[in-house]
Amino acid sequence: MTLILGPCCRQQARRFITASRPTVWTARSFVTEASSSVEEFDVVIVGGGPAGLALATALASSKPILDTTSIALIEAGDLSRVRDWSQPGGTFSNRVSSITNVSQAFLDGIGAWAHVDASRVAKLEDMQVWDGLSDARIEFSASELRSLSGSGRVPQIAHMTENLNLQRGLLRRLNDFPSVRLLDNVKVDGIKAEEADQGGWPTLKLSDGKTLRARLLVGADGFNSPVKKYAGIRTYGWAYDTHAVVATMFHSPPFPGTPMTAYQRFLPTGPIAFLPLSDTAASLVWSTKPHLAAALKATHPDVLRKMINAAFRLPDTSMKVLYDVILDTKSQVTPEEMGETIRWREDSHGIAPLSSLSSVEAEGSSAVGGYGGEVDMPPLVTGIQPGSVAGFPLRLSHAEVYIGEGAGARTALVGDAAHTVHPLAGQGLNMGLADVQALTKCIENAVQHGADIGSRTALLPYPRARYFENHKLLSATDKLHKLYGTTFPPVVWARSAGLEVINELESVKSVLMMNAGSSPSSNAGQAGEASSLWDVAAAGVEGVSRAVHSVEAVARGVGNLGMALIQNALRK
């Protein structure tokens, strides 16, 4: 006998067991006594990081989905450690993210932002980015965004917070939805597909002996995604010859009225970023060569502190000297020796002791260093939080497709399982949240139309909405990494000219900002008039690229060979 249940009866149907498997998918909750150990869910999410938790929260926050759809999330780690996470006052986790206004609006819309600890969120009001060789600089500020919006309702460029603060907020929001099953401390031992005549659903074997059957299996399980492997989805990309060093830094408080500012300097070895977390703390993300990253992690914290201050201020010729000092394996440099070396290098460049470009004279005093002065620099780092220094390799990757087909059907990828990006744009988390938003909308639409949420037809709008948007940002950050990784003088001149032209021409910056704020991937109803700093930065890369092409036209007289080398460097 076949039973066909409407959406309002599906959850009740899950409480019963019949003698035979139903022949229509709308009655999928009935199981045989022989298969009673297999639990069935409409959506199974593998991965309890920010993307996986955000997807579970977004699905549960949609009433049409929650009323008709069973949801489970699998996480290999202990979610109670995230749920109960806390930090001593004034200290911070070393894994932080920049959350754009668009992403914040999405999190607010699903009820999660209210559970994020606001005292651990810094509102970025300004962003300073400059070339480590030419000092060409560009600035983005919330005041410019406010003037562009015409409403005065853009109080910040973005929000900085710890990943654990966001994950804890998402878990607290999920407490409002007890029907969502959270299975933690358990790994996926294997995934196999049913026979086509049984529906072709993915079946997951867990390390605790449980077996789950999923109408739709979502991989939010990182670059080495078991779900991606099961679906047979290939990934293209490459590892950068770069590692990121992260740490939590302490500094003196700013002058009253100083905007909360993020700083990023593009050194030939990789960018270094100062990302504020509070008035007296900031997060370091220093992307550099692997051997330099290893030396920075191994050196004395006071030496690292001095290196950070110098890396934002000293010319590249002097930074090369400092690199040689910390790479010297015969004797580990002491903080005093490093301080004397930096003092000597500053003297050689004619840097005045009380200048904002000096990282020596103000140390140990109440001076705030880079605030104010002739050049806007980050405040001097006065300490490194113990145990916060860490590092990891960087790579670019992009899955060929976001949804599986054939033997890997009924699968979808979000977040790092679908793509990984260089952190110079601080955009990895935002890309994942945009994936989550698009996939949730796709599932909601399928539910409202009575469609099979795991079918390819139902899932196709998701990659159509996200694949090209992600590809553009991946491409832009990759080009930016390569563009600023060269010291070839014509390329340095061209990129610097482009950056300075964009910064000086307010109308050009306005166009870039307006284009970023009207990104087709954002939900205007949720995001309002908020704009994304990093979307602006990505658009800026295209602007710099156009400027380089303009410079090429002007500089043809220098010689076709030189410009050909520039083009070749940009294409690599």
Side-chain angles (χ1 to χ4, degrees), residues 16-40:
F16 298 90
I17 297 177
T18 63
S20 61
R21 184 176 300 279
T23 58
V24 291
W25 72 267
T26 50
R28 77 283 187 188
S29 299
F30 289 85
V31 295
T32 64
E33 291 183 356
S35 63
S36 60
S37 62
V38 178
E39 295 184 77
E40 294 185 358

Side-chain angles (χ1 to χ4, degrees), residues 245-256:
V245 177
V246 296
T248 300
M249 308 175 290
F250 299 122
H251 57 84
S252 299
F255 294 124

Side-chain angles (χ1 to χ4, degrees), residues 40-359:
E40 294 185 358
F41 292 92
D42 294 298
V43 180
V44 174
I45 304 164
V46 180
L53 291 173
L55 179 59
T57 304
L59 294 175
S61 299
S62 168
K63 193 174 187 304
I65 295 176
L66 186 64
D67 287 347
T68 61
T69 307
S70 56
I71 305 164
L73 182 144
I74 302 168
E75 166 57 30
D78 186 355
L79 289 177
S80 67
R81 297 180 62 181
V82 179
R83 191 179 290 108
D84 301 331
W85 169 77
S86 64
Q87 287 274 128
T91 66
F92 295 86
S93 167
N94 62 5
R95 297 302 298 268
V96 304
S97 292
S98 167
I99 300 176
T100 65
N101 291 331
V102 171
S103 294
Q104 187 272 336
F106 167 64
L107 292 168
D108 190 45
I110 63 176
W113 192 251
H115 296 277
V116 173
D117 185 352
S119 68
R120 306 190 71 84
V121 177
K123 295 182 178 181
L124 297 186
E125 302 169 277
D126 203 351
M127 178 77 180
Q128 299 275 349
V129 181
W130 69 100
D131 191 315
L133 292 179
S134 68
D135 289 332
R137 182 178 291 243
I138 190 167
E139 175 184 0
F140 296 102
S141 68
S143 61
E144 291 174 318
L145 292 176
R146 280 193 291 270
S147 64
L148 287 172
S149 71
S151 66
R153 291 187 296 171
V154 187
Q156 68 282 313
I157 290 174
H159 302 76
M160 288 299 309
T161 193
E162 300 143 293
N163 290 359
L164 285 169
N165 188 27
L166 175 59
Q167 289 175 258
R168 184 179 61 181
L170 289 163
L171 281 171
R172 288 175 175 174
R173 173 57 171 158
L174 281 172
N175 288 338
D176 298 334
F177 307 107
S179 62
V180 177
R181 289 279 301 279
L182 299 179
L183 307 173
D184 61 346
N185 292 307
V186 62
K187 297 180 180 180
V188 177
D189 282 347
I191 311 173
K192 65 178 183 179
E194 294 178 327
E195 297 296 331
D197 58 0
Q198 294 179 311
W201 289 22
T203 302
L204 296 85
K205 183 69 175 178
L206 306 185
S207 59
D208 62 358
K210 290 188 176 70
T211 300
L212 305 186
R213 185 171 178 260
R215 179 180 304 285
L216 171 61
L217 177 61
V218 181
D221 43 356
F223 173 71
N224 295 310
S225 166
V227 175
K228 180 165 58 179
K229 182 178 180 180
Y230 157 76
I233 297 175
R234 295 185 297 179
T235 298
Y236 73 86
W238 44 84
Y240 292 116
D241 183 27
T242 307
H243 282 207
V245 177
V246 296
T248 300
M249 308 175 290
F250 299 122
H251 57 84
S252 299
F255 294 124
T258 302
M260 189 77 75
T261 304
Y263 299 87
Q264 187 169 40
R265 186 188 190 196
F266 280 89
L267 301 169
T269 52
I272 180 172
F274 179 104
L275 308 171
L277 298 173
S278 73
D279 285 340
T280 57
S283 181
L284 168 74
V285 182
W286 190 345
S287 302
T288 190
K289 299 301 180 182
H291 64 293
L292 287 175
L296 290 169
K297 289 186 294 180
T299 194
H300 190 284
D302 278 342
V303 173
L304 175 60
R305 170 176 65 84
K306 294 174 185 290
M307 285 290 295
I308 294 167
N309 288 331
F312 281 105
R313 293 165 171 82
L314 282 179
D316 182 58
T317 53
S318 287
M319 287 306 301
K320 289 178 180 178
V321 173
L322 300 189
Y323 295 151
D324 289 339
V325 170
I326 65 167
L327 289 172
D328 185 358
T329 58
K330 295 180 181 178
S331 61
Q332 188 172 24
V333 63
T334 66
E336 293 75 20
E337 291 169 338
M338 180 58 75
E340 285 302 314
T341 302
I342 293 174
R343 185 190 303 273
W344 172 61
R345 297 310 304 176
E346 289 186 358
D347 288 343
S348 71
H349 294 292
I351 297 175
L354 298 180
S355 165
S356 62
L357 292 174
S358 175
S359 61

Side-chain angles (χ1 to χ4, degrees), residues 349-381:
H349 294 292
I351 297 175
L354 298 180
S355 165
S356 62
L357 292 174
S358 175
S359 61
V360 176
E361 293 299 328
E363 287 190 359
S365 72
S366 59
V368 295
Y371 289 124
E374 67 276 23
V375 180
D376 192 2
M377 290 287 172
L380 290 173
V381 176

